[in-house]
Amino acid sequence: MKNQPFYRRLGFAWHGIVSAWRTEMSMRQQSVAAVGVIITLLWLRPAPVWWALLLLNCGLVLAAELFNSALEHALDHLHPAPHPAIGLAKDCAAGAVLLLSVTGVALFACFLCETFLVQY
Ligand SMILES: Nc1ncnc2c1ncn2[C@@H]1O[C@H](COP(=O)(O)OP(=O)(O)OP(=O)(O)O)[C@@H](O)[C@H]1O
């Protein structure tokens, strides 16, 4: 399955995103939050640096969520029985999503402060 044509690899990646959307509630929640950020950017039209920072953070959260989901699928398949190492690995992956979500909220708060408190 290595070195497939580009359109097929795109299909595999799209399949992963759609599967995560269907099976993971947190993926759907993070996607809704990202859409909210995009709507806010389109509404307030801030400086390009805010677009870059906020879109980058949204992308990082969703990518971390996909990695988290990938790890869960692989671990559950390879070792279905409970084990402390499996639990710790899943907790670390969830921690990565949490950290990026916290930076996203902090960034969004800074953006709103600059827009509504500093400018007006
Ligand atoms: N096989 C296991 N052995 C030990 N602990 C586990 C195991 N599977 C899950 N856990 C514990 O349960 C938690 C939740 O795991 P689960 O696979 O249900 O993820 P989830 O609730 O779908 O998380 P997310 O919302 O990030 O997708 C893990 O973070 C871990 O602490």
Side-chain angles (χ1 to χ4, degrees):
M1 291 295 269
K2 292 292 286 176
N3 298 323
Q4 296 280 314
F6 177 68
Y7 74 91
R8 293 214 61 191
R9 284 181 280 137
L10 210 57
F12 298 147
W14 181 245
H15 176 243
I17 292 170
V18 170
S19 299
W21 167 270
R22 287 203 182 121
T23 57
E24 301 287 335
M25 190 173 62
S26 44
M27 180 73 183
R28 290 194 292 275
Q29 289 170 339
Q30 306 282 16
S31 301
V32 168
V35 170
V37 169
I38 291 169
I39 289 171
T40 309
L41 286 169
L42 289 169
W43 171 42
L44 296 173
R45 297 186 182 278
V49 67
W50 283 116
W51 286 80
L53 286 172
L54 287 165
L55 291 179
L56 179 67
N57 206 113
C58 286
L60 287 173
V61 169
L62 292 174
E65 194 61 55
L66 283 167
F67 277 121
N68 181 32
S69 184
L71 194 78
E72 282 174 8
H73 282 298
L75 291 176
D76 287 342
H77 179 74
L78 292 172
H79 197 287
H83 191 283
I86 303 282
L88 181 58
K90 287 186 174 186
D91 289 347
C92 288
V97 178
L98 178 65
L99 277 181
L100 286 167
S101 302
V102 169
T103 62
V105 169
L107 204 53
F108 195 65
C110 291
F111 162 61
L112 292 180
C113 280
E114 197 205 61
T115 304
F116 292 109
L117 300 181
V118 178
Q119 286 186 356
Y120 300 105

